């Protein structure tokens, strides 16, 4: 029986935990490390326990067992939806990394190790300039993984190239400035090529456009080092340091790979457009207005933070206070307006802005839901592990049912944040190290699960605001 096949138990009434006589000798320690995996399996009756937990209230079980069950209960997919990456595109990224590694090795042979400044020693100290990422990229069977490993490796190898060129006195600030400007110009050109936001099927095409703009944003951000070498600074040399040159080479290489990705996603998007494609720009502007007006009905992050600071019972030393501060971090501290101004690296990225506004609205609504469902009061001193497990089970079930109902690429883009939150809740339990009392880890995890559940509850309405206003 799978976890979601188990018959549901009406265990959401907040009934207090009660251990029967059969639990009298069961481990009760809050130290999860005191129990081995085999002991836990034995206590709950083997590997089928995760599914079978549906037959009993989680609050009846010892804390170490339900903590463990929380970590092994299946999660949503790590990537809810993303465009397919061809082997050819991934292999081109690996080839780019191979060329960069070869260049770094050639330059390093000419470097006198005694002349290397201390700040650049680490950049030139690797036998493999890619830091091992080239081997990982070559051996990965999945195209997405090859692309990701190659992109990370470009940072290491590019840093080695830049450091070596600086030591050899071959770094050219004007050429670096030109390279940065070229990346910016290319990113603008790709954005202009999709600027009317033509769609045949918004539920599919908007998802591709989001990934185009996301990689363009990375490319624009990672080419920011061009400003260090523009204008007066190149004459004065104030910013023309070894570290700056090494960083510039690393980030420019990654930016160029991001540009290649954006073009690749743009081409896949275009391939799906039919003869009846229409501009979706006005619909996106309307959706953005609706979303931002809805967000404005909630207090700001500063207002919530000031209120928590003033509340006597809202310090982080109690479950009541810890939950409220954690919810502030989850639901408010990502600013959906960041870097969209005229000088921002996401300027003009309407689809990306709509997605981030949608997620911001879902998060704010999630805070209200979580506060209602957490069930913590100012006088509480602990938090039961069974409630955390129950919150995860509910969140995963809700995630799956909503994805079944809204089974489209763009709905997957909007659902990604909820998936991330559910994964993060497991981390809070699995990697508890005694830094905090265990109730703190459970409270933190529960807030993530509840917000994730709420985001999926609300996803349909927000999705309809964006996709044809339906």
């Amino acid at each position: 029986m799978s976890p979601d096949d188990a018959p549901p138990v009406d265990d959401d009434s907040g009934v207090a935990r009660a251990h029967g006589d059969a639990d009298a000798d069961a481990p009760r320690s809050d130290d999860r490390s005191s129990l081995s995996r085999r002991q836990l399996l034995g206590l709950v009756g083997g590997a089928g326990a995760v599914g079978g937990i549906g037959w009993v209230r989680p609050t009846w079980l010892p804390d170490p067992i339900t903590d463990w069950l929380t970590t092994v209960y299946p999660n949503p997919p790590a990537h809810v939806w993303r465009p397919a990456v061809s082997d050819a595109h991934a292999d081109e990224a690996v080839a780019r990394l191979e060329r960069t590694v070869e260049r770094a090795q050639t330059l390093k042979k000419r470097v006198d190790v005694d002349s290397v400044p201390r700040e650049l020693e680490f950049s030139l100290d690797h036998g493999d300039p890619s830091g091992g990422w080239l081997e990982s990229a070559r051996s990965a069977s999945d195209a997405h993984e090859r692309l990701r490993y190659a992109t990370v490796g470009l940072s290491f190898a590019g840093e080695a190239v830049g450091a070596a060129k600086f030591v050899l006195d071959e770094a050219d600030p004007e050429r670096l400035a030109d390279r940065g400007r070229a990346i910016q110009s290319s990113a603008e050109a790709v954005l202009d090529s999709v600027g009317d936001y033509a769609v045949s099927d918004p539920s599919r095409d908007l998802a591709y456009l989001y990934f185009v703009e996301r990689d363009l944003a990375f490319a624009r951000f990672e080419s920011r080092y061009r400003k260090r070498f523009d204008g007066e600074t190149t004459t004065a040399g104030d910013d023309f340091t070894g570290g700056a040159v090494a960083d510039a080479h690393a980030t420019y290489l990654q930016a160029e790979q991001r540009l290649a990705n954006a073009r690749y996603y743009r081409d896949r998007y275009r391939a799906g457009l039919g003869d009846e494609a229409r501009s979706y720009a006005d619909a996106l502007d309307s959706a953005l207005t609706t979303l931002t007006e809805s967000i404005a009905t909630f207090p700001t992050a500063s207002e919530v933070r000031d209120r928590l600071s003033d509340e006597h019972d809202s310090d982080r030393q109690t479950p009541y206070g810890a939950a409220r501060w954690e919810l502030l971090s989850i639901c408010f501290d990502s600013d959906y307006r960041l870097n969209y101004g005229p000088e921002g690296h996401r300027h003009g990225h309407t689809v990306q802005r709509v997605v981030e506004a949608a997620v911001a609205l879902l998060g704010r609504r999630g805070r209200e839901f979580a506060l209602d469902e957490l069930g913590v009061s100012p006088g509480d001193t602990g938090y039961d592990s069974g409630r955390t497990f129950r919150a995860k089970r509910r969140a995963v079930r809700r995630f799956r049912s909503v994805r079944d109902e809204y089974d489209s690429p763009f709905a997957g883009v909007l659902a990604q944040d909820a998936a991330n939150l559910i994964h993060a809740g497991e981390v809070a339990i699995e990697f508890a190290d005694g830094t905090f009392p265990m109730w703190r880890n459970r409270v933190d995890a529960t807030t993530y699960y509840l917000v994730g559940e709420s985001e999926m509850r609300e996803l349909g309405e927000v999705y309809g605001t964006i996709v044809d206003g339906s």
Side-chain angles (χ1 to χ4, degrees), residues 198-452:
V199 300
S200 297
D201 176 1
S203 65
R204 177 199 64 208
D205 300 332
L206 292 179
Y208 278 99
L209 286 165
Y210 169 75
F211 276 88
V212 171
E213 291 189 345
R214 191 189 70 157
D215 270 288
L216 287 179
F218 281 122
R220 294 165 111 182
F221 179 72
E222 288 161 349
S223 62
R224 68 197 183 281
Y225 282 97
R226 72 181 178 86
K227 296 181 179 179
R228 290 191 177 193
F229 308 107
D230 280 343
E232 296 299 323
T233 58
T234 57
T235 302
D238 292 340
D239 290 330
F240 192 61
T241 65
V245 171
D247 285 347
H249 279 271
T251 57
Y252 286 176
L253 277 165
Q254 288 191 308
E256 287 158 354
Q257 182 58 54
R258 298 289 192 180
L259 272 174
N261 296 347
R263 292 189 183 104
Y264 174 80
Y265 296 140
R266 189 264 318 269
D267 292 346
R268 289 187 66 90
Y269 149 74
R270 284 176 168 173
L273 293 177
D275 295 336
E276 303 300 322
R278 67 192 191 281
S279 173
Y280 211 71
D282 290 344
L284 287 170
D285 289 340
S286 177
L288 182 60
T289 298
T290 300
L291 293 169
T292 53
E293 287 177 349
S294 297
I295 291 170
T297 65
F298 291 87
T300 65
S302 296
E303 289 170 342
V304 175
R305 187 177 294 107
D306 290 344
R307 189 182 307 161
L308 288 175
S309 298
D310 292 339
E311 289 183 8
H312 177 72
D313 294 317
S314 287
D315 62 84
R316 294 178 174 85
Q317 306 308 310
T318 67
Y320 181 85
R324 278 154 176 74
W325 281 105
E326 193 66 24
L327 286 170
L328 170 64
S329 175
I330 297 171
C331 302
F332 284 93
D333 280 0
S334 57
D335 190 344
Y336 67 96
R337 296 166 295 184
L338 189 64
N339 288 315
Y340 283 107
E343 300 300 319
H345 61 268
R346 293 186 282 191
H347 176 57
H349 291 196
T350 306
V351 176
Q352 191 177 17
R353 189 172 185 182
V354 165
V355 169
E356 294 190 4
V359 172
L361 177 59
L362 290 171
R364 282 154 176 76
R365 289 179 176 174
R367 176 178 179 270
E368 304 300 312
F369 176 82
L371 286 173
D372 290 338
E373 296 294 322
L374 268 167
V376 292
S377 302
D380 291 346
T381 58
Y383 198 79
D384 194 284
S385 59
R387 297 167 75 179
T388 302
F389 174 82
R390 185 174 58 202
K392 181 177 182 180
R393 184 177 61 189
R394 283 177 43 180
V396 173
R397 287 176 172 174
R398 176 66 61 175
F399 183 93
R400 290 174 175 172
S401 67
V402 173
R403 279 297 285 151
D404 286 345
E405 182 177 359
Y406 296 94
D407 183 19
S408 77
F410 191 66
V413 170
L414 296 183
Q416 185 62 56
D417 191 65
N420 293 344
L421 288 168
I422 296 171
H423 281 274
E426 177 183 322
V427 171
I429 298 297
E430 188 166 11
F431 293 97
D433 59 3
T435 302
F436 302 106
M438 197 61 199
W439 64 256
R440 172 75 175 271
N441 298 84
R442 295 178 190 129
V443 165
D444 288 352
T446 306
T447 60
Y448 281 89
Y449 296 142
L450 290 174
V451 175

